[in-house]
Amino acid sequence: MKKRIFIYFIILTIIGISITGFFISQLAQKYYKFEAQDKLVGMAKLIQNQIASDLRNGLPVDYNQYAAQYSRILSSNSSGDLDRNSTKIRLTFIDVSGKVVGESDTNFEHMENHLDRKEFQQALTESVGTDIHYSKTLKTNFLYTAVLVPSANVVVRVSSPLLQLKTIDQTIWNYTIVGVLAGILLTSILAAKFSVYVTQPIDQRFNDMNLELEKTVADLKDKNVKVDAIINSMGNGIIAVDNKFNVMLINAKACEIFGIKNGPGVIGINLIELVRNHKINHVLNETMRTNTSHTEELTLASPSEKILKVYTSPIKSKDNISLNSGGVLIINDITNLKKLELIRTEFVSNVTHELKTPLTSIRGFIETLRNGAMEDSVVAKKFLDIIDIEAERLYILINDILQLSEIESRQQDSNIATHNLHSIVEETISILQGVADRKHVSLDWEVQDGLKIVANKDRIKQMLINLIDNGIKYNVENGSVSIRAFKADKMIVFSIKDTGIGIPDEHISRIFERFYRVDKGRSRNMGGTGLGLSIVKHIVNLYNGDIKVHSQPGKGTEFTIRLPA
């Protein structure tokens, strides 16, 4: 504030002295021009009288000689001689048609017509005319005065440079600059003392207020940071609105749920415009209208499909004058929970169905055996073989379910060690070679030399067994399964490619689902549980890898797995 007062004083001083200097300069120029004009008019009238006298006396008038003679006389100083301090007077004689008939400074015969000159026209109409022209050559203004000589139909024009105008103007502005500097010096002293006198008590007051304000702001910031951290860390979305539905508070989770960008920037926007969902707006409106809490479960279609559970509660007014001062929404995204419930329901249903089929078959054949079939040894053996097959199928199914459950429950695998991948693949091939021989399917495998993997050996074998076994089962007679393992881009890549029946495109996106079968009847006949590829997918996910499928019906299928090396 002290600095501002000082600056204002200086600016006012400069402005005041400058304005004064400007007006003095203008006034001086005005009086100088008036005096110079009066002098030139006097000269012109003197020449006018002389010409009129010569004409009355019958004397010849040589205007060009007159111009030279009177220019020399009028331009000389008091001693009669020209010097550098003399003011050059220029004389021109112009007839009423505008033609120059005499000139003191140049050859009048080469001069242009002066009919359009302002001072000439004014002299013709008013007897006396004046004007100021700027000379580019001399870079100064010239004052022109013209007087009509009626008896000779000639206009006498006298001109003189306004040289003193520059000197006067320069002198005034020099004094103005000196005045400004002196004023700044004096004003600085006064302004310094005055600013200290005025601002000292104000500064003290403001310092006290500033300290108090800083403390208050710091406390508020601290509280806001804590509240923001808590609210934005919550797993549920929170939106608070006033009684006009304008957003007062919104956390990061709510912005994520509704696809709102620039969360802080939406404060003050009406919720109806921000969240275009009729059910949410309706339930919040009911809460604010009835001053009671509500719960609603709804589906959100945009920006992505979500199932939400919305809790609404009124914001009670402190003064209790109005019913409430707004409302709060707590939004819980239960999409994953609902999906898990659906998966669990489907899983239970599928497991029940899959277990029921072999159990029903086993119980049916046991009942048949009890009812006398045991007496027929051929029939009894056949039925016992079927019971054994169904029991084996039941055992495999239960084992797959347990394996899948065990893999799903893990965040990371156990029994991790470094293994030679060649040994793992070789052991896997030896397990499945008999199955391949019975199906007349050849197994062709190749592993990059020295390739090692850090993993649970049994888990990698299980993954390969499921994929190679599928390649054998769904292959054609005399078909083949190719197994390749190599390192690329810091990833270990497995390729299991068969020449089997292939998978139609519409089924590829679902083949990793539990119990999903492309051909349900054929899969069951081959002993499949529908969990093999789901187990493979979960093993790949357990190791943060990815799996891709490329298949053409009638030509075969290739599974490509990439695991971090």
Side-chain angles (χ1 to χ4, degrees), residues 257-358:
I257 291 171
F258 294 109
I260 299 169
K261 296 180 179 178
N262 188 22
V266 302
I267 302 299
I269 295 178
N270 195 283
L271 183 68
I272 296 172
E273 298 177 12
L274 194 64
V275 180
R276 299 182 181 275
N277 188 288
H278 174 71
K279 286 188 176 180
I280 290 177
N281 295 326
H282 175 72
V283 71
L284 182 59
N285 186 57
E286 283 297 305
T287 293
M288 294 170 64
R289 186 179 64 83
T290 60
N291 208 29
T292 56
S293 300
H294 287 80
T295 303
E296 186 78 27
E297 189 175 300
L298 51 91
T299 301
L300 186 71
S302 179
S304 60
E305 189 171 331
K306 295 183 180 75
I307 301 172
L308 306 177
K309 197 159 192 176
V310 178
Y311 305 88
T312 59
S313 181
I315 300 174
K316 302 292 183 180
S317 175
K318 288 184 179 179
D319 53 16
N320 290 322
I321 295 174
S322 58
L323 190 62
N324 57 62
S325 57
V328 175
L329 292 95
I330 300 176
I331 308 106
N332 188 9
D333 187 351
I334 59 171
T335 307
N336 291 334
L337 184 62
K338 288 291 183 181
K339 285 181 179 178
L340 287 174
E341 288 179 1
L342 180 62
I343 290 169
R344 189 181 297 111
T345 302
E346 290 179 350
F347 182 71
V348 171
S349 175
N350 287 329
V351 167
T352 303
H353 177 74
E354 294 294 334
L355 291 174
K356 187 185 292 183
T357 302

Side-chain angles (χ1 to χ4, degrees), residues 78-247:
S78 58
S79 62
D81 298 323
L82 286 171
D83 61 20
R84 63 181 181 180
N85 294 320
S86 301
T87 302
K88 175 68 175 176
I89 302 298
R90 181 181 179 184
L91 282 173
T92 308
F93 291 92
I94 311 164
D95 67 14
V96 292
S97 66
K99 181 181 178 182
V100 178
V101 294
E103 164 62 32
S104 63
D105 286 9
T106 186
N107 188 346
F108 71 92
E109 293 177 351
H110 297 151
M111 293 180 69
E112 61 183 9
N113 193 288
H114 282 39
L115 185 64
D116 59 344
R117 299 296 173 90
K118 180 182 175 182
E119 68 276 7
F120 177 76
Q121 289 292 332
Q122 196 174 359
L124 291 179
T125 56
E126 302 176 15
S127 296
V128 178
T130 61
D131 194 15
I132 294 176
H133 298 309
Y134 180 76
S135 171
K136 292 182 180 179
T137 305
L138 298 176
K139 296 183 179 179
T140 188
N141 287 320
F142 273 76
L143 176 63
Y144 292 86
T145 301
V147 175
L148 177 66
V149 184
S151 58
N153 286 330
V154 170
V155 171
V156 181
R157 190 180 74 169
V158 184
S159 64
S160 175
L162 299 175
L163 295 174
Q164 297 299 321
L165 200 61
K166 277 188 176 180
T167 305
I168 293 170
D169 194 44
Q170 186 65 44
T171 303
I172 290 171
W173 281 111
N174 287 340
Y175 280 110
T176 300
I177 291 170
V178 172
V180 167
L181 294 174
I184 289 173
L185 180 62
L186 293 173
T187 303
S188 300
I189 297 170
L190 292 173
K193 291 184 177 180
F194 181 76
S195 61
V196 170
Y197 175 77
V198 171
T199 60
Q200 194 168 17
I202 296 174
D203 284 345
Q204 185 60 44
R205 185 178 175 184
F206 270 99
N207 287 338
D208 294 340
M209 291 172 63
N210 188 47
L211 290 173
E212 191 65 31
L213 185 62
E214 283 181 356
K215 184 181 177 183
T216 304
V217 169
D219 291 342
L220 286 173
K221 281 185 177 179
D222 184 56
K223 289 178 181 177
N224 285 338
V225 167
K226 289 177 180 177
V227 171
D228 285 345
I230 293 169
I231 289 174
N232 287 312
S233 299
M234 294 180 68
N236 294 336
I238 299 175
I239 302 176
V241 299
D242 60 21
N243 52 17
K244 293 183 180 179
F245 277 78
N246 295 323
V247 175

Side-chain angles (χ1 to χ4, degrees), residues 229-516:
I230 293 169
I231 289 174
N232 287 312
S233 299
M234 294 180 68
N236 294 336
I238 299 175
I239 302 176
V241 299
D242 60 21
N243 52 17
K244 293 183 180 179
F245 277 78
N246 295 323
V247 175
M248 298 188 297
L249 181 146
I250 185 167
N251 72 343
K253 185 63 178 179
C255 292
E256 179 189 333
I257 291 171
F258 294 109
I260 299 169
K261 296 180 179 178
N262 188 22
V266 302
I267 302 299
I269 295 178
N270 195 283
L271 183 68
I272 296 172
E273 298 177 12
L274 194 64
V275 180
R276 299 182 181 275
N277 188 288
H278 174 71
K279 286 188 176 180
I280 290 177
N281 295 326
H282 175 72
V283 71
L284 182 59
N285 186 57
E286 283 297 305
T287 293
M288 294 170 64
R289 186 179 64 83
T290 60
N291 208 29
T292 56
S293 300
H294 287 80
T295 303
E296 186 78 27
E297 189 175 300
L298 51 91
T299 301
L300 186 71
S302 179
S304 60
E305 189 171 331
K306 295 183 180 75
I307 301 172
L308 306 177
K309 197 159 192 176
V310 178
Y311 305 88
T312 59
S313 181
I315 300 174
K316 302 292 183 180
S317 175
K318 288 184 179 179
D319 53 16
N320 290 322
I321 295 174
S322 58
L323 190 62
N324 57 62
S325 57
V328 175
L329 292 95
I330 300 176
I331 308 106
N332 188 9
D333 187 351
I334 59 171
T335 307
N336 291 334
L337 184 62
K338 288 291 183 181
K339 285 181 179 178
L340 287 174
E341 288 179 1
L342 180 62
I343 290 169
R344 189 181 297 111
T345 302
E346 290 179 350
F347 182 71
V348 171
S349 175
N350 287 329
V351 167
T352 303
H353 177 74
E354 294 294 334
L355 291 174
K356 187 185 292 183
T357 302
L359 284 174
T360 302
S361 180
I362 290 169
R363 292 189 63 185
F365 284 111
I366 290 173
E367 188 67 28
T368 304
L369 288 171
R370 282 178 177 172
N371 290 334
M374 287 187 65
E375 303 300 328
D376 188 337
S377 61
V378 176
V379 173
K381 185 178 182 304
K382 180 182 177 182
F383 283 4
L384 287 171
D385 288 342
I386 294 172
I387 290 171
D388 184 51
I389 291 169
E390 292 296 333
E392 177 67 18
R393 178 180 168 191
L394 191 60
Y395 170 80
I396 293 170
L397 177 61
I398 293 171
N399 190 52
D400 282 353
I401 292 169
L402 291 174
Q403 286 181 347
L404 185 60
S405 178
E406 191 261 341
I407 295 169
E408 280 184 322
S409 65
R410 287 184 176 275
Q411 295 297 321
Q412 62 181 40
D413 211 350
S414 59
N415 300 323
I416 301 293
T418 302
H419 299 281
N420 188 308
L421 203 53
H422 187 279
S423 301
I424 295 175
V425 176
E426 188 175 30
E427 289 176 21
T428 304
I429 296 297
S430 65
I431 293 170
L432 295 170
Q433 189 64 60
V435 179
D437 291 342
R438 287 193 293 274
K439 188 74 184 285
H440 303 292
V441 172
S442 62
L443 299 180
D444 174 33
W445 63 282
E446 182 182 352
V447 179
Q448 183 179 323
D449 290 340
L451 188 60
K452 297 183 182 298
I453 187 168
V454 180
N456 182 322
K457 178 180 178 181
D458 293 334
R459 202 77 74 191
I460 301 301
K461 282 176 65 176
Q462 184 181 24
M463 177 186 77
L464 293 172
I465 288 170
N466 285 356
L467 289 174
I468 297 169
D469 186 50
N470 274 359
I472 296 169
K473 283 180 183 176
Y474 300 106
N475 217 315
V476 295
E477 192 78 15
N478 298 317
S480 65
V481 178
S482 298
I483 303 98
R484 299 285 181 271
F486 55 91
K487 190 174 182 180
D489 298 328
K490 296 183 181 180
M491 303 288 282
I492 293 176
V493 182
F494 296 90
S495 171
I496 294 88
K497 185 176 183 181
D498 63 59
T499 57
I501 59 175
I503 305 168
D505 288 343
E506 64 269 20
H507 295 286
I508 287 178
S509 61
R510 300 193 60 192
I511 59 174
F512 295 107
E513 295 178 14
R514 300 177 184 88
F515 299 109
Y516 186 82

